[in-house]
Amino acid sequence: MAVAHKALGAMLRRKPIEQIEDEAAATGLRRTLGLWQLTAIGVGGIIGAGIFSLAGAVANETAGPGVLISFLIAGVASAAAAFSYAEFAGLIPRAGSAYTYGYAVLGEFAGWAIGWDLLLEYTAIVAVVAIGISGYFNDLLGFLDIDLPLWMMGAPGTEPEGVAGGSYKVNLFALLLCLLIAYVLNLGMKSAARFETALVYLKVGIVLLVIAVGAFKIKTGNYSPFLPFGLDGAFTGAATVFFAVFGYDAMSTAAEESHDARRHMPKAIVYSLAISMVLYVLACLVLTGMVDYRHIDPNAAFSSAFDDAGLETVGFVIAVGAILGILTVLFTFMMGAARVWYSMSRDGLLPGWFARTHPTRKVPTRITWILGAGSALIAGFLPIGEAAELTNIGILLAFIVVCVAVVVLRYRRPELPRQFRTPGMPVVPIVGVVFSLWLITFLKQETWLRFAVWFVLGCVVYFAYGRRHSLLARGGAPAGKTAGE
């Protein structure tokens, strides 16, 4: 009984917020990011496959022109969680994001569970997006009449019907993309952020080009019927496109690399989601207005739509822009995974060896290269469907934890100085919880099975290592050197 009581006490111990603030002030990471760089990272994480791939697929297969409603529903659900993230980001400006928030409010095991899950989710997202970019890359090669060896064009077993002359062995382009992003992140956050910001400007420019040029090709008859699959189709579509309306959560892991994170981080979260939702809505209106939903290409919706409209040059520009622009999603989520892992290692829940940063660049190079290799293997050898099934559940569970935690902390520690306060407390966080639970019901049984396997593995790691080596278990003593020593 005493052993069980001790174990339960360890799982429920909470990290003092004051201690978290002291650690953030003495971080081994370098503070280089301003408000608009943070916003660009958030926009870079949100806008990507959602516009260039998912919008067309959902319109064609699930919602028709009602894909607009799908994005709005997903946006409302995401906004409820975004406000909760913004309050925490202004209160606890630390690299771990949802992991740290859960640790401080709900206890060590809750924080561990979310952090462990996000490591898989973020890595899988990087792989999924890399695979998606490779589809646009293949279309671009076809436009240029370039033929590459078949073996390097996709994961085993994913070749389309009728392909002759061999079979796919590896999605080499997707694999190399993951390694490229790991390399860029290891150049240092200042250089990496410049790369990210430049690509975000390019991507937003491409989306604005789509909206401006496509608006003149809209045929209002394509909006009818607006809900060909009924309202249920729009709701089902919301569960799919939800993948496209988060990203600010990964951006919030950069808090310790931001100047004046208490003020800038909440603003960057809200700004990035607002900008992205406006662009999503306008792009969906243009796409479904240009092309009958039944004829939308689910793999390269916008570039093919402009090709069909006789604007092949614009379609080519969009294909190039999609490839370059979606790179920002890889950047944001690989960075997020690296910072969550860094925080967990610094807290002693994983070996401190991982938390060591480069002596001059001040980035966790060991972690970043491991994540780059892991995502590269998933992207190179798994079909996009199997890789995608590893993603949404962890994000939704993180949203639930953050929305619950913000309510608990508001009532437990009302005196804490908050730079941003979630509006409509506690209704808005509860809406975030309800929406997330509802979206979870759409996930496949296989997704739950994969999650269960990963969770059980995490429990083994926690009870075998993390519980005993945690900083709190060691009385706050450092778990290992963390600054390139």
Side-chain angles (χ1 to χ4, degrees), residues 27-29 342 352-366 481-485:
T27 181
L29 303 174
Y342 170 83
W353 180 87
F354 293 114
R356 294 186 181 181
T357 57
H358 190 277
T360 55
R361 298 171 188 162
K362 301 299 181 183
V363 289
T365 52
R366 294 171 175 176
K481 298 177 182 179
T482 62
E485 300 173 42

Side-chain angles (χ1 to χ4, degrees), residues 155-459:
T158 63
E159 52 269 55
E161 294 182 10
V163 172
S167 60
Y168 291 170
K169 302 297 184 183
V170 60
N171 192 330
L172 187 62
F173 183 73
L175 185 151
L176 293 176
L177 273 182
C178 295
L179 297 178
L180 171 64
I181 295 302
Y183 169 75
V184 171
L185 282 169
N186 276 321
L187 293 177
M189 183 51 73
K190 187 174 183 179
S191 298
R194 287 175 178 168
F195 171 82
E196 163 84 351
T197 301
L199 289 182
V200 167
Y201 286 146
L202 171 65
K203 176 164 58 177
V204 171
I206 292 294
V207 176
L208 292 175
L209 174 68
V210 166
I211 294 168
V213 177
F216 293 98
K217 296 293 182 178
I218 288 176
K219 299 175 183 178
T220 55
N222 288 330
Y223 294 131
S224 181
F226 189 72
L227 294 170
F229 301 94
L231 197 56
D232 287 346
F235 280 113
T236 302
T240 303
V241 301
F242 186 80
F243 176 76
V245 293
F246 58 82
Y248 54 81
D249 56 307
M251 177 266 286
S252 68
T253 65
E256 291 180 40
E257 291 156 285
S258 164
H259 297 299
D260 199 359
R262 288 186 181 280
R263 288 195 309 114
H264 290 165
M265 191 62 72
K267 292 178 181 178
I269 289 172
V270 175
Y271 290 168
S272 60
L273 182 60
I275 291 169
S276 300
M277 286 309 302
V278 170
L279 294 177
Y280 273 139
V281 167
L282 294 176
C284 286
L285 283 171
V286 167
L287 176 63
T288 54
M290 287 182 65
V291 185
D292 186 295
Y293 75 92
R294 289 165 291 195
H295 302 146
I296 291 175
D297 181 353
N299 297 313
F302 284 98
S303 58
S304 63
F306 280 93
D307 288 345
D308 293 342
L311 299 172
E312 290 84 1
T313 302
V314 177
F316 175 76
V317 171
I318 292 171
V320 174
I323 293 171
L324 296 176
I326 300 177
L327 286 176
T328 62
V329 182
L330 305 181
F331 177 97
T332 299
F333 283 100
M334 190 178 292
M335 180 201 70
R339 273 44 179 185
V340 170
W341 192 339
Y342 170 83
S343 292
M344 295 174 73
S345 296
R346 185 174 58 182
D347 289 340
L349 296 176
L350 290 171
W353 180 87
F354 293 114
R356 294 186 181 181
T357 57
H358 190 277
T360 55
R361 298 171 188 162
K362 301 299 181 183
V363 289
T365 52
R366 294 171 175 176
I367 292 171
T368 304
W369 277 121
I370 293 171
L371 291 169
S375 59
L377 290 174
I378 296 173
F381 297 100
L382 279 183
I384 189 169
E386 292 186 20
E389 287 175 358
L390 299 173
T391 57
N392 278 355
I393 188 170
I395 304 301
L396 291 170
L397 290 175
F399 280 10
I400 291 171
V401 165
V402 172
C403 289
V404 169
V406 79
V407 175
V408 171
L409 191 62
R410 181 73 71 88
Y411 290 101
R412 180 188 290 160
R413 299 287 304 275
E415 81 287 356
L416 290 172
R418 292 168 168 84
Q419 292 291 328
F420 178 89
R421 299 177 73 87
T422 302
M425 181 68 73
V427 175
V428 169
I430 290 174
V431 168
V433 171
V434 171
F435 264 104
S436 297
L437 288 172
W438 172 71
L439 290 170
I440 281 177
T441 65
F442 287 89
L443 299 176
K444 298 178 181 178
Q445 184 176 354
E446 293 83 356
T447 303
W448 280 102
L449 180 61
R450 288 180 173 89
F451 170 75
V453 171
W454 182 251
F455 180 74
V456 169
L457 178 61
C459 288

Side-chain angles (χ1 to χ4, degrees), residues 35-117:
L35 172 60
W36 294 111
Q37 286 178 309
L38 288 170
T39 303
I41 292 174
V43 171
I46 298 171
I47 295 180
I51 279 185
F52 296 113
S53 296
L54 283 181
V58 171
N60 177 256
E61 302 166 2
T62 307
V67 65
L68 171 65
I69 295 177
S70 298
F71 272 101
L72 290 174
I73 293 170
V76 169
S78 189
F83 288 136
S84 299
Y85 270 92
E87 178 164 326
F88 270 122
L91 179 63
I92 308 175
R94 194 167 181 262
S97 186
Y99 153 72
T100 299
Y101 310 153
Y103 198 168
V105 180
L106 302 178
E108 184 172 278
F109 186 74
W112 162 268
I114 289 301
W116 179 257
D117 191 37

Side-chain angles (χ1 to χ4, degrees), residues 108-171:
E108 184 172 278
F109 186 74
W112 162 268
I114 289 301
W116 179 257
D117 191 37
L118 288 179
L119 291 181
L120 176 64
E121 304 295 322
Y122 286 171
T123 303
I125 288 171
V126 171
V128 169
V129 174
I131 296 170
I133 298 177
S134 71
Y136 272 93
F137 179 70
N138 292 338
D139 288 344
L140 182 61
L141 292 178
F143 183 90
L144 298 173
D145 293 324
I146 297 176
D147 294 321
L148 293 179
L150 197 63
W151 63 267
M152 66 169 60
M153 300 295 286
T158 63
E159 52 269 55
E161 294 182 10
V163 172
S167 60
Y168 291 170
K169 302 297 184 183
V170 60
N171 192 330

